[in-house]
Amino acid sequence: MNKITAAITATGSYVPDFVLSNKVLETLVDTNDEWITSRTGIKERRILKEEGQGTSYLAIQAAKNLIEKANIDPKEIDMVILCTATPDMLVASTGVYVASQIGATNAFAYDLQAACSSFLFGMSTASAYVESGKYKKVLLIGADKMSSIIDYTDRSTCIIFGDGAGAVLFEPNHEGLGLQDEFLRSDGVGREFLKIDAGGSILPSSEETVKNKQHFVHQDGKTVFKYAVSGMADVSEKIMERNNLVKEDINWLVAHQANRRIIDATANRIGLEEDKVLINIEKYGNTTSATLPLLLGDFESKLKKGDNIIFAAFGGGFTWGAIYLKWAYNSNK
Ligand code: UT7
C-alpha cells in the first residue's frame, strides 16, 4: 500500500502522586461520596501540589515516559504539539518549553487549545502533518493542571476535575493502520456554559476579577451534560455509519472521561458492550486534554495490532468529535 497513514506507535503518561478523594472533598464542600460516585463515576483525582510546577511539568514527565518506553532519541522528533487548556503562562508557548526540556532540539512546537476536545483535535492535526509526508515523528501531548483554575469551594466543578498528562507518538505507516477517518465539530453556542470569564482580552485581570472569582472555571453542568450526551453519541454513530462499521467491528471506545453517564450514553447509542469501553474516570476524574492518552497508557497492554478504535470527546466552546483509528502495534508490556 503506497498511501501514508499516520499511526500511533508509542504512548506515555504521568499523574501526580497526590490523591484527592471524594472523602476529602466532603470536608471542603457540601457533597458526599455517594452523590459524586453515582452522578459522575469519579472516586478520586490527582493534584499537582508542588509550588512553581505547572502544566509543563506534567507534560514533560509524560513525554519522558514515552521516550523511555519507546527507546527513541528525542532529537529525532520533528514536532511537538501540546494540547492544553491550562498553559504555564498566557503568551510564551508551553509546548516550546516542553520540547526543549525533553531534548527535542530539532523539533518545532506549539500549543493547541480546544478545551476537553484538545487532544482529539490534536490527533487530527498530528496525523495531517504525518500524512503530508513532511514530518516523520510527531509527538502529541495532552496535559492539564486543572487544579490551577478550579475553585475548591464550588461543588459543581471541584468534584470533577483533576491533573494529568499523556503523550503519543504519530509516525507514518504503510500497512494502512492508524487514523482512518475523523468527524470534528464546534459550535460557539457553548461559550456561555463553560468558561473562565477573566484573564483574557475581553476582561483582563484586575483586583475586581480576582475578588469575584472570575479566574476560575464556571460551568452550567446540566446544559453541558445535555449537549455532551447527544454530541458525543451523534458523532460516534456518524463515524461508524460512514465507515460501514457495525458494533461487532469495534474493539474499543476511547471516550473523554468527563462523566461516566456521558460515556455510557455514547456506548449505548453505538451498542457497545461494557467490556469494550475503556474507563479510568474513577481514578483521575476529568483531566481535560489528558483523558484520551491516559486511557491509552493505562490500557496499552490490551490493545492489539489492527484493533478498531473509536475515539470521542466533548468539551467547552463547544467542541466535539470522533476519530476512527486502527491500532498499529502489540505492546510488549
Ligand atoms: O469535559 C466536558 C465538560 N464537562 C462536562 O461534560 C460535565 C457535564 N456535566 C456534568 O457532568 C453534570 O452536570 C455534573 C456532574 C456537573 C452535575 O450533575 P447533574 O446530575 O447534572 O446534577 P445537577 O446539576 O442537575 O444537580 C442535581 C442536584 C441538585 O440538587 P436539587 O436542586 O435537585 O436539590 C444540585 O444542587 O444535585 C445537587 N448537586 C450536588 N449535590 C452533592 C450538584 N452538585 C452536587 C455535589 N454534591 N457536588
Side-chain angles (χ1 to χ4, degrees):
M1 197 176 285
N2 283 329
K3 185 179 176 291
I4 302 172
T5 49
I8 292 176
T9 57
T11 75
S13 49
Y14 176 77
V15 289
D17 293 333
F18 184 88
V19 174
L20 178 60
S21 66
N22 290 350
K23 280 279 162 217
V24 173
L25 283 172
E26 285 179 5
T27 67
L28 302 179
V29 289
D30 180 15
T31 191
N32 58 76
D33 177 43
E34 201 281 323
W35 191 96
I36 302 173
T37 307
S38 62
R39 307 297 279 187
T40 70
I42 303 167
K43 295 297 279 183
E44 54 189 43
R45 53 301 281 142
R46 300 301 183 96
I47 305 293
L48 181 59
K49 281 279 187 188
E50 286 72 17
E51 225 170 280
Q53 289 180 349
T55 293
S56 62
Y57 178 81
L58 302 166
I60 289 164
Q61 304 311 311
K64 282 183 172 169
N65 178 239
L66 181 150
I67 288 165
E68 196 189 305
K69 274 169 59 187
N71 195 22
I72 58 164
D73 178 353
K75 291 193 175 57
E76 290 172 13
I77 298 171
D78 298 307
M79 70 178 297
V80 175
I81 304 173
L82 176 62
C83 306
T84 186
T86 53
D88 282 1
M89 48 186 80
L90 269 185
V91 173
S93 168
T94 306
V96 171
Y97 176 71
V98 170
S100 296
Q101 291 296 307
I102 62 172
T105 47
N106 293 313
F108 72 101
Y110 59 82
D111 296 351
L112 188 156
Q113 211 280 50
C116 288
S117 304
S118 299
F119 193 83
L120 188 88
F121 286 17
M123 288 174 67
S124 158
T125 308
S127 296
Y129 278 112
V130 170
E131 286 161 7
S132 76
K134 277 191 195 161
Y135 305 105
K136 300 228 172 337
K137 279 188 168 48
V138 177
L139 180 65
L140 180 69
I141 309 171
D144 269 302
K145 184 182 169 185
M146 293 306 292
S147 60
S148 65
I149 52 170
I150 294 300
D151 174 4
Y152 285 91
T153 65
D154 176 4
R155 70 177 183 174
S156 70
T157 52
C158 75
I159 58 148
I160 298 171
F161 293 100
D163 302 340
V168 300
L169 187 67
F170 273 96
E171 292 187 271
N173 184 283
H174 298 279
E175 296 177 279
L177 301 171
L179 195 141
Q180 307 293 308
D181 193 16
E182 62 187 38
F183 185 57
L184 309 181
R185 311 294 304 146
S186 64
D187 186 343
V189 71
R191 177 151 138 150
E192 285 312 306
F193 305 119
L194 177 52
K195 61 180 172 170
I196 295 178
D197 282 309
S201 53
I202 289 182
L203 185 59
S205 313
S206 67
E207 267 182 48
E208 196 73 5
T209 60
V210 173
K211 206 171 73 205
N212 294 337
K213 297 187 165 192
Q214 288 171 296
H215 295 273
F216 293 123
V217 174
H218 290 279
Q219 76 161 340
D220 171 349
K222 227 188 230 320
T223 305
V224 177
F225 184 88
K226 209 178 69 191
Y227 277 96
V229 163
S230 57
M232 235 166 70
D234 286 351
V235 290
S236 303
E237 196 172 40
K238 168 106 180 171
I239 204 149
M240 282 174 63
E241 263 170 31
R242 76 178 190 194
N243 287 280
N244 298 316
L245 295 167
V246 293
K247 64 179 181 181
E248 289 77 15
D249 298 322
I250 305 303
N251 298 96
W252 310 105
L253 172 67
V254 179
H256 175 53
Q257 309 280 294
N259 186 316
R260 176 79 203 233
R261 290 183 291 143
I262 301 173
I263 305 163
D264 289 346
T266 301
N268 283 341
R269 173 84 78 82
I270 59 176
L272 275 201
E273 313 293 329
E274 210 174 313
D275 60 355
K276 290 182 168 184
V277 183
L278 302 189
I279 301 275
N280 59 10
I281 192 170
E282 72 285 356
K283 294 195 287 183
Y284 311 134
N286 181 350
T287 53
T288 301
S289 311
T291 59
L292 301 182
L294 278 175
L295 282 171
L296 295 179
D298 280 3
F299 292 95
E300 190 177 25
S301 61
K302 283 181 172 256
L303 311 176
K304 300 284 170 255
K305 186 173 175 180
D307 278 358
N308 287 325
I309 306 181
I310 300 293
F311 290 81
F314 188 93
F318 292 129
T319 53
W320 72 105
I323 282 179
Y324 163 36
L325 177 140
K326 278 185 179 291
W327 196 247
Y329 64 97
N330 296 318
S331 165
N332 53 15
K333 266 205 299 191

Short mmCIF file of all heavy atoms in Angstrom, two decimals, residues 86-137:
data_model
loop_
_atom_site.label_atom_id
_atom_site.label_comp_id
_atom_site.label_asym_id
_atom_site.label_seq_id
_atom_site.Cartn_x
_atom_site.Cartn_y
_atom_site.Cartn_z
N THR A 86 -4.66 24.77 30.04
CA THR A 86 -4.03 25.43 31.19
C THR A 86 -2.54 25.62 30.93
O THR A 86 -1.70 25.00 31.60
CB THR A 86 -4.22 24.59 32.47
OG1 THR A 86 -3.77 23.24 32.20
CG2 THR A 86 -5.66 24.55 32.92
N PRO A 87 -2.18 26.45 29.95
CA PRO A 87 -0.77 26.65 29.66
C PRO A 87 -0.04 27.23 30.88
O PRO A 87 -0.67 27.84 31.75
CB PRO A 87 -0.78 27.65 28.50
CG PRO A 87 -2.11 28.33 28.57
CD PRO A 87 -3.06 27.31 29.13
N ASP A 88 1.29 27.06 30.92
CA ASP A 88 2.07 27.60 32.04
C ASP A 88 1.82 29.10 32.21
O ASP A 88 1.72 29.61 33.31
CB ASP A 88 3.58 27.43 31.77
CG ASP A 88 4.05 26.01 32.03
OD1 ASP A 88 3.22 25.16 32.40
OD2 ASP A 88 5.26 25.77 31.85
N MET A 89 1.78 29.79 31.07
CA MET A 89 1.54 31.24 31.07
C MET A 89 0.86 31.61 29.77
O MET A 89 0.85 30.81 28.82
CB MET A 89 2.86 32.00 31.27
CG MET A 89 3.98 31.54 30.38
SD MET A 89 5.57 32.33 30.74
CE MET A 89 6.15 31.41 32.14
N LEU A 90 0.31 32.83 29.73
CA LEU A 90 -0.57 33.14 28.59
C LEU A 90 0.16 33.28 27.26
O LEU A 90 -0.34 32.84 26.24
CB LEU A 90 -1.36 34.42 28.88
CG LEU A 90 -2.71 34.21 29.55
CD1 LEU A 90 -3.47 35.52 29.67
CD2 LEU A 90 -3.56 33.21 28.75
N VAL A 91 1.32 33.89 27.24
CA VAL A 91 1.90 34.17 25.93
C VAL A 91 2.99 33.19 25.51
O VAL A 91 2.90 32.60 24.44
CB VAL A 91 2.38 35.63 25.84
CG1 VAL A 91 3.13 35.86 24.53
CG2 VAL A 91 1.17 36.56 25.90
N ALA A 92 4.02 32.97 26.32
CA ALA A 92 5.09 32.06 25.89
C ALA A 92 4.51 30.64 25.76
O ALA A 92 3.96 30.10 26.71
CB ALA A 92 6.23 32.06 26.90
N SER A 93 4.62 30.05 24.57
CA SER A 93 4.03 28.74 24.32
C SER A 93 4.63 27.67 25.23
O SER A 93 5.84 27.48 25.29
CB SER A 93 4.26 28.37 22.85
OG SER A 93 3.94 27.02 22.64
N THR A 94 3.76 26.96 25.93
CA THR A 94 4.22 25.92 26.87
C THR A 94 4.88 24.76 26.12
O THR A 94 5.88 24.20 26.57
CB THR A 94 3.03 25.41 27.71
OG1 THR A 94 2.41 26.54 28.33
CG2 THR A 94 3.48 24.45 28.79
N GLY A 95 4.33 24.42 24.96
CA GLY A 95 4.87 23.31 24.17
C GLY A 95 6.32 23.53 23.78
O GLY A 95 7.11 22.58 23.72
N VAL A 96 6.67 24.77 23.52
CA VAL A 96 8.05 25.09 23.12
C VAL A 96 9.01 24.77 24.27
O VAL A 96 10.07 24.15 24.09
CB VAL A 96 8.15 26.59 22.73
CG1 VAL A 96 9.60 27.00 22.53
CG2 VAL A 96 7.32 26.86 21.48
N TYR A 97 8.61 25.17 25.47
CA TYR A 97 9.43 24.89 26.65
C TYR A 97 9.55 23.38 26.87
O TYR A 97 10.64 22.86 27.13
CB TYR A 97 8.78 25.57 27.87
CG TYR A 97 9.48 25.30 29.17
CD1 TYR A 97 10.73 25.85 29.45
CD2 TYR A 97 8.88 24.49 30.14
CE1 TYR A 97 11.37 25.59 30.65
CE2 TYR A 97 9.51 24.23 31.35
CZ TYR A 97 10.76 24.78 31.60
OH TYR A 97 11.39 24.52 32.78
N VAL A 98 8.43 22.68 26.73
CA VAL A 98 8.42 21.23 26.92
C VAL A 98 9.37 20.56 25.93
O VAL A 98 10.19 19.71 26.30
CB VAL A 98 6.98 20.66 26.78
CG1 VAL A 98 6.98 19.14 26.74
CG2 VAL A 98 6.10 21.17 27.93
N ALA A 99 9.29 20.96 24.67
CA ALA A 99 10.15 20.37 23.63
C ALA A 99 11.62 20.54 24.00
O ALA A 99 12.43 19.60 23.90
CB ALA A 99 9.85 21.01 22.28
N SER A 100 11.98 21.74 24.45
CA SER A 100 13.38 21.97 24.84
C SER A 100 13.79 21.11 26.03
O SER A 100 14.87 20.53 26.05
CB SER A 100 13.60 23.45 25.20
OG SER A 100 13.38 24.23 24.07
N GLN A 101 12.90 21.03 27.01
CA GLN A 101 13.22 20.29 28.23
C GLN A 101 13.38 18.78 28.01
O GLN A 101 14.11 18.12 28.73
CB GLN A 101 12.14 20.52 29.30
CG GLN A 101 12.12 21.92 29.86
CD GLN A 101 13.40 22.26 30.60
OE1 GLN A 101 13.82 21.53 31.49
NE2 GLN A 101 14.05 23.35 30.22
N ILE A 102 12.69 18.25 27.01
CA ILE A 102 12.81 16.80 26.77
C ILE A 102 13.92 16.49 25.76
O ILE A 102 14.12 15.34 25.39
CB ILE A 102 11.47 16.16 26.30
CG1 ILE A 102 11.01 16.77 24.97
CG2 ILE A 102 10.41 16.31 27.39
CD1 ILE A 102 9.80 16.06 24.35
N GLY A 103 14.60 17.53 25.30
CA GLY A 103 15.72 17.31 24.37
C GLY A 103 15.29 17.17 22.92
O GLY A 103 16.06 16.68 22.09
N ALA A 104 14.06 17.61 22.60
CA ALA A 104 13.60 17.56 21.21
C ALA A 104 14.11 18.81 20.49
O ALA A 104 13.34 19.65 20.03
CB ALA A 104 12.08 17.46 21.16
N THR A 105 15.41 18.88 20.38
CA THR A 105 16.04 20.13 19.93
C THR A 105 15.92 20.36 18.42
O THR A 105 16.21 21.45 17.94
CB THR A 105 17.53 20.15 20.33
OG1 THR A 105 18.10 18.87 19.96
CG2 THR A 105 17.71 20.36 21.81
N ASN A 106 15.49 19.33 17.68
CA ASN A 106 15.29 19.52 16.24
C ASN A 106 13.82 19.72 15.89
O ASN A 106 13.46 19.77 14.71
CB ASN A 106 15.84 18.33 15.47
CG ASN A 106 17.36 18.27 15.59
OD1 ASN A 106 18.03 19.29 15.42
ND2 ASN A 106 17.89 17.11 15.93
N ALA A 107 12.99 19.81 16.92
CA ALA A 107 11.54 19.92 16.68
C ALA A 107 11.10 21.38 16.73
O ALA A 107 11.75 22.21 17.37
CB ALA A 107 10.78 19.13 17.73
N PHE A 108 9.98 21.69 16.08
CA PHE A 108 9.28 22.95 16.37
C PHE A 108 8.04 22.55 17.16
O PHE A 108 7.57 21.40 17.09
CB PHE A 108 8.95 23.74 15.10
CG PHE A 108 7.87 23.17 14.24
CD1 PHE A 108 6.58 23.71 14.27
CD2 PHE A 108 8.13 22.11 13.39
CE1 PHE A 108 5.57 23.19 13.47
CE2 PHE A 108 7.12 21.59 12.58
CZ PHE A 108 5.84 22.13 12.62
N ALA A 109 7.51 23.50 17.92
CA ALA A 109 6.44 23.14 18.85
C ALA A 109 5.44 24.28 18.99
O ALA A 109 5.77 25.44 18.75
CB ALA A 109 7.04 22.82 20.22
N TYR A 110 4.24 23.91 19.36
CA TYR A 110 3.24 24.93 19.71
C TYR A 110 2.12 24.30 20.54
O TYR A 110 2.08 23.08 20.71
CB TYR A 110 2.68 25.64 18.46
CG TYR A 110 2.00 24.76 17.43
CD1 TYR A 110 0.68 24.35 17.57
CD2 TYR A 110 2.69 24.37 16.28
CE1 TYR A 110 0.06 23.58 16.61
CE2 TYR A 110 2.07 23.59 15.31
CZ TYR A 110 0.75 23.20 15.48
OH TYR A 110 0.14 22.43 14.52
N ASP A 111 1.23 25.17 21.05
CA ASP A 111 0.11 24.70 21.86
C ASP A 111 -1.16 24.65 21.03
O ASP A 111 -1.32 25.44 20.08
CB ASP A 111 -0.15 25.65 23.05
CG ASP A 111 1.01 25.70 24.02
OD1 ASP A 111 1.93 24.87 23.89
OD2 ASP A 111 0.99 26.57 24.91
N LEU A 112 -2.06 23.76 21.41
CA LEU A 112 -3.35 23.64 20.72
C LEU A 112 -4.43 23.62 21.80
O LEU A 112 -4.34 22.85 22.74
CB LEU A 112 -3.36 22.34 19.91
CG LEU A 112 -4.51 22.05 18.95
CD1 LEU A 112 -4.04 21.07 17.86
CD2 LEU A 112 -5.73 21.49 19.65
N GLN A 113 -5.44 24.49 21.64
CA GLN A 113 -6.46 24.61 22.68
C GLN A 113 -7.86 24.44 22.11
O GLN A 113 -8.29 25.25 21.32
CB GLN A 113 -6.34 25.99 23.36
CG GLN A 113 -6.74 26.04 24.82
CD GLN A 113 -8.24 26.11 25.06
OE1 GLN A 113 -9.00 25.33 24.52
NE2 GLN A 113 -8.66 27.03 25.91
N ALA A 114 -8.52 23.39 22.50
CA ALA A 114 -9.93 23.20 22.15
C ALA A 114 -10.64 22.59 23.35
O ALA A 114 -11.42 21.64 23.23
CB ALA A 114 -10.07 22.32 20.92
N ALA A 115 -10.31 23.11 24.54
CA ALA A 115 -10.90 22.64 25.81
C ALA A 115 -10.77 21.11 25.91
O ALA A 115 -9.72 20.56 25.58
CB ALA A 115 -12.33 23.13 25.95
N CYS A 116 -11.84 20.44 26.31
CA CYS A 116 -11.73 18.99 26.54
C CYS A 116 -11.57 18.20 25.24
O CYS A 116 -11.32 16.99 25.29
CB CYS A 116 -12.93 18.48 27.32
SG CYS A 116 -12.90 19.00 29.04
N SER A 117 -11.74 18.85 24.09
CA SER A 117 -11.51 18.15 22.82
C SER A 117 -10.11 18.40 22.29
O SER A 117 -9.78 17.98 21.16
CB SER A 117 -12.53 18.61 21.77
OG SER A 117 -13.83 18.41 22.22
N SER A 118 -9.26 19.08 23.06
CA SER A 118 -7.93 19.46 22.56
C SER A 118 -7.17 18.25 22.01
O SER A 118 -6.59 18.31 20.92
CB SER A 118 -7.10 20.09 23.67
OG SER A 118 -7.70 21.26 24.14
N PHE A 119 -7.15 17.17 22.77
CA PHE A 119 -6.33 16.03 22.32
C PHE A 119 -6.91 15.39 21.07
O PHE A 119 -6.18 15.01 20.15
CB PHE A 119 -6.17 14.99 23.44
CG PHE A 119 -5.09 13.98 23.14
CD1 PHE A 119 -3.77 14.26 23.40
CD2 PHE A 119 -5.41 12.77 22.55
CE1 PHE A 119 -2.76 13.35 23.09
CE2 PHE A 119 -4.41 11.85 22.23
CZ PHE A 119 -3.09 12.14 22.51
N LEU A 120 -8.24 15.28 21.02
CA LEU A 120 -8.89 14.70 19.84
C LEU A 120 -8.56 15.53 18.60
O LEU A 120 -8.17 15.00 17.55
CB LEU A 120 -10.40 14.63 20.04
CG LEU A 120 -11.13 13.87 18.94
CD1 LEU A 120 -11.18 12.38 19.28
CD2 LEU A 120 -12.54 14.41 18.74
N PHE A 121 -8.70 16.86 18.72
CA PHE A 121 -8.38 17.73 17.59
C PHE A 121 -6.87 17.65 17.28
O PHE A 121 -6.47 17.71 16.13
CB PHE A 121 -8.78 19.18 17.90
CG PHE A 121 -10.28 19.44 17.85
CD1 PHE A 121 -11.20 18.40 17.90
CD2 PHE A 121 -10.78 20.73 17.77
CE1 PHE A 121 -12.59 18.63 17.86
CE2 PHE A 121 -12.15 20.98 17.71
CZ PHE A 121 -13.06 19.93 17.77
N GLY A 122 -6.08 17.49 18.33
CA GLY A 122 -4.63 17.35 18.15
C GLY A 122 -4.27 16.08 17.38
O GLY A 122 -3.31 16.06 16.60
N MET A 123 -5.06 15.03 17.59
CA MET A 123 -4.81 13.78 16.84
C MET A 123 -4.99 14.04 15.34
O MET A 123 -4.24 13.53 14.51
CB MET A 123 -5.78 12.68 17.29
CG MET A 123 -5.48 12.13 18.67
SD MET A 123 -6.75 10.97 19.24
CE MET A 123 -6.53 9.61 18.10
N SER A 124 -6.01 14.83 15.02
CA SER A 124 -6.26 15.17 13.62
C SER A 124 -5.09 15.99 13.07
O SER A 124 -4.58 15.72 11.97
CB SER A 124 -7.57 15.97 13.53
OG SER A 124 -7.62 16.72 12.36
N THR A 125 -4.64 16.98 13.83
CA THR A 125 -3.54 17.85 13.39
C THR A 125 -2.25 17.06 13.21
O THR A 125 -1.58 17.14 12.17
CB THR A 125 -3.33 18.98 14.42
OG1 THR A 125 -4.58 19.62 14.66
CG2 THR A 125 -2.32 20.01 13.92
N ALA A 126 -1.91 16.28 14.23
CA ALA A 126 -0.66 15.50 14.18
C ALA A 126 -0.68 14.54 12.99
O ALA A 126 0.32 14.40 12.26
CB ALA A 126 -0.50 14.72 15.49
N SER A 127 -1.83 13.90 12.78
CA SER A 127 -1.93 12.94 11.67
C SER A 127 -1.76 13.62 10.32
O SER A 127 -1.10 13.09 9.42
CB SER A 127 -3.30 12.26 11.68
OG SER A 127 -3.44 11.51 12.83
N ALA A 128 -2.35 14.81 10.20
CA ALA A 128 -2.26 15.52 8.91
C ALA A 128 -0.80 15.86 8.58
O ALA A 128 -0.38 15.75 7.42
CB ALA A 128 -3.11 16.78 8.96
N TYR A 129 -0.03 16.25 9.59
CA TYR A 129 1.39 16.54 9.35
C TYR A 129 2.13 15.29 8.87
O TYR A 129 2.96 15.35 7.98
CB TYR A 129 2.06 17.06 10.63
CG TYR A 129 1.86 18.53 10.91
CD1 TYR A 129 1.09 18.95 11.99
CD2 TYR A 129 2.46 19.50 10.11
CE1 TYR A 129 0.91 20.29 12.27
CE2 TYR A 129 2.30 20.85 10.39
CZ TYR A 129 1.52 21.25 11.46
OH TYR A 129 1.35 22.58 11.72
N VAL A 130 1.81 14.16 9.51
CA VAL A 130 2.49 12.91 9.13
C VAL A 130 2.06 12.46 7.73
O VAL A 130 2.89 12.12 6.89
CB VAL A 130 2.20 11.80 10.18
CG1 VAL A 130 2.70 10.44 9.69
CG2 VAL A 130 2.85 12.15 11.51
N GLU A 131 0.73 12.51 7.48
CA GLU A 131 0.21 12.09 6.17
C GLU A 131 0.77 12.95 5.03
O GLU A 131 0.90 12.50 3.90
CB GLU A 131 -1.33 12.17 6.16
CG GLU A 131 -1.99 11.07 6.95
CD GLU A 131 -3.44 11.41 7.31
OE1 GLU A 131 -3.96 12.45 6.82
OE2 GLU A 131 -4.03 10.65 8.08
N SER A 132 1.09 14.20 5.34
CA SER A 132 1.62 15.10 4.30
C SER A 132 2.99 14.63 3.80
O SER A 132 3.46 15.06 2.76
CB SER A 132 1.76 16.52 4.86
OG SER A 132 2.90 16.60 5.70
N GLY A 133 3.63 13.77 4.60
CA GLY A 133 4.95 13.28 4.23
C GLY A 133 6.08 14.20 4.69
O GLY A 133 7.26 13.87 4.56
N LYS A 134 5.72 15.35 5.26
CA LYS A 134 6.76 16.32 5.65
C LYS A 134 7.45 15.95 6.96
O LYS A 134 8.60 16.28 7.17
CB LYS A 134 6.12 17.70 5.84
CG LYS A 134 5.93 18.47 4.57
CD LYS A 134 5.57 19.90 4.93
CE LYS A 134 5.02 20.63 3.72
NZ LYS A 134 4.27 21.82 4.12
N TYR A 135 6.71 15.32 7.87
CA TYR A 135 7.27 15.03 9.19
C TYR A 135 7.06 13.56 9.54
O TYR A 135 6.02 13.00 9.24
CB TYR A 135 6.61 15.93 10.25
CG TYR A 135 6.73 17.39 9.89
CD1 TYR A 135 5.64 18.10 9.41
CD2 TYR A 135 7.96 18.04 9.98
CE1 TYR A 135 5.75 19.43 9.04
CE2 TYR A 135 8.08 19.37 9.62
CZ TYR A 135 6.99 20.06 9.15
OH TYR A 135 7.12 21.36 8.77
N LYS A 136 8.08 12.99 10.19
CA LYS A 136 8.05 11.54 10.45
C LYS A 136 7.74 11.18 11.90
O LYS A 136 7.23 10.11 12.18
CB LYS A 136 9.40 10.93 10.05
CG LYS A 136 9.75 11.13 8.59
CD LYS A 136 10.21 9.83 7.97
CE LYS A 136 10.41 9.86 6.48
NZ LYS A 136 9.70 10.87 5.71
N LYS A 137 8.12 12.07 12.81
CA LYS A 137 7.84 11.78 14.22
C LYS A 137 7.18 13.01 14.85
O LYS A 137 7.84 14.02 15.10
CB LYS A 137 9.13 11.45 14.97
CG LYS A 137 9.63 10.01 14.78
CD LYS A 137 10.79 9.71 15.71
CE LYS A 137 11.13 8.24 15.78
NZ LYS A 137 11.24 7.54 14.52
#
